[in-house]
Amino acid sequence: MTGLAEETAVDEGLHVLVVDDELPAIEDLAYLLRADERVREVSTASSGAAALRALDHGDVAALFLDIRMPGMSGLDLARVLTHFERPPKIVFVTAYESHAVDAFELHAVDYLLKPVAQERLAEAVRRVVAEVTGRPGPAATADDETIPVELAHVTRFVRRSEVRYAEAHGDYARLYTRRDSYLVRTSLSALEDAWGDAGFMRVHRSHLVALAHIDEMYVESGRCAIRVGDMRLPVSRRNTRALRDRLVRNARPGAQRP
């Protein structure tokens, strides 16, 4: 399809294909996808070969693809799809973290771990829409950075838009997302310089925070603090006024989020 045709198709709803050799996994994922208003149709296939046949009979925007399947694995199928003139987007859905590097070398849009939470699946759908249309959507910026992180000898890939705040750990920094945290080999000062234009602000010598993820700002006993999800983070006196000004500007009608 042309770019305009792709956008029109997405606006009408995505047609996605769930590929897994286990029927309960297919049924669970298909149920969650059908609950997403951006998804128009969900097809299913129980093998790589069946998936290829299904692609001949419909305009599929994305595959939600298991990796470990008998015969043709999900990675094998993804390699075949790279030879298509206009391959569908790939979201890997697996119980194993060990294939993340291979998945992203194949330009996967996302990598979900089973069991899949509906909120995390919704983010994957958003990424598919952004890839197909070129529109980043409300949860990311056009230049959203992907950060490789190490966790138990496995490389995972985290989008900058998923990071709620970062905490200083000597010459390292720990990134906190909604569910996990990751130690990265860079200083908080380096992240501040790199991410300042992407809506992050240093609120304390130990914390760099994504302004979009701040839920509350309050003062107790003369000390300012913010709430980010379930975490309460201190704000230094020297940064309190600047932070308040940034949050007020962002809250004004018509103001763009940082």
Side-chain angles (χ1 to χ4, degrees):
M1 288 188 294
T2 64
L4 180 59
E6 285 181 335
E7 291 199 21
T8 301
V10 170
D11 290 339
E12 294 175 352
L14 296 170
H15 179 193
V16 302
L17 176 63
V18 176
V19 186
D20 200 306
D21 63 309
E22 297 181 356
L23 182 58
I26 288 178
E27 292 176 340
D28 289 347
L29 190 56
Y31 174 81
L32 293 176
L33 284 166
R34 290 187 179 108
D36 193 306
E37 62 183 8
R38 295 163 296 185
V39 176
R40 166 177 52 87
E41 181 179 354
V42 180
S43 299
T44 63
S46 58
S47 68
L52 289 173
R53 291 194 294 270
L55 291 174
D56 287 334
H57 302 289
D59 189 14
V60 175
L63 270 66
F64 286 77
L65 179 59
D66 187 24
I67 289 182
R68 294 193 180 182
M69 298 186 294
M72 182 184 295
S73 73
L75 293 173
D76 292 335
L77 176 57
R79 293 185 183 100
V80 171
L81 296 180
T82 62
H83 299 290
F84 280 34
E85 182 178 357
R86 300 191 69 84
K89 308 304 177 185
I90 298 292
V91 175
F92 284 108
V93 185
T94 178
Y96 306 95
E97 295 186 0
S98 57
H99 299 290
V101 173
D102 291 332
F104 282 90
E105 286 178 349
L106 289 166
H107 305 291
V109 172
D110 210 341
Y111 190 91
L112 306 181
L113 291 175
K114 299 177 181 178
V116 179
Q118 190 159 19
E119 180 178 336
R120 185 64 182 86
L121 182 62
E123 170 63 12
V125 173
R126 184 199 64 77
R127 292 182 183 184
V128 170
V129 172
E131 288 284 332
V132 171
T133 66
R135 302 193 298 256
T141 61
D143 60 346
D144 197 6
E145 180 182 342
T146 300
I147 307 106
V149 297
E150 299 292 330
L151 185 65
H153 307 294
V154 173
T155 301
R156 299 186 68 180
F157 298 85
V158 177
R159 296 289 179 95
R160 183 179 59 202
S161 58
E162 298 174 31
V163 177
R164 293 183 167 196
Y165 65 95
E167 184 176 46
H169 278 257
D171 294 331
Y172 292 73
R174 183 169 290 277
L175 308 181
Y176 289 83
T177 64
R178 190 176 72 87
R179 292 186 174 184
D180 298 302
S181 69
Y182 310 94
L183 196 64
V184 294
R185 298 176 182 176
T186 188
S187 68
L188 200 65
S189 295
L191 285 180
E192 180 184 10
D193 292 340
W195 291 2
D197 292 337
F200 283 77
M201 181 176 173
R202 188 79 168 261
V203 299
H204 188 272
R205 67 178 182 275
S206 298
H207 295 106
L208 179 73
V209 177
L211 298 178
H213 287 295
I214 295 177
D215 297 307
E216 292 180 348
M217 179 178 183
Y218 48 89
V219 176
E220 293 180 348
S221 302
R223 293 282 185 175
C224 181
I226 55 176
R227 183 174 63 83
V228 179
D230 295 330
M231 290 300 300
R232 182 182 182 276
L233 303 176
V235 179
S236 67
R237 293 184 186 276
R238 63 187 297 268
N239 290 321
T240 297
R241 182 171 181 176
L243 175 61
R244 182 184 292 114
D245 289 346
R246 290 281 296 274
L247 293 176
V248 169
R249 287 201 305 270
N250 293 339
R252 288 172 180 166
Q256 293 183 344
R257 301 288 284 181

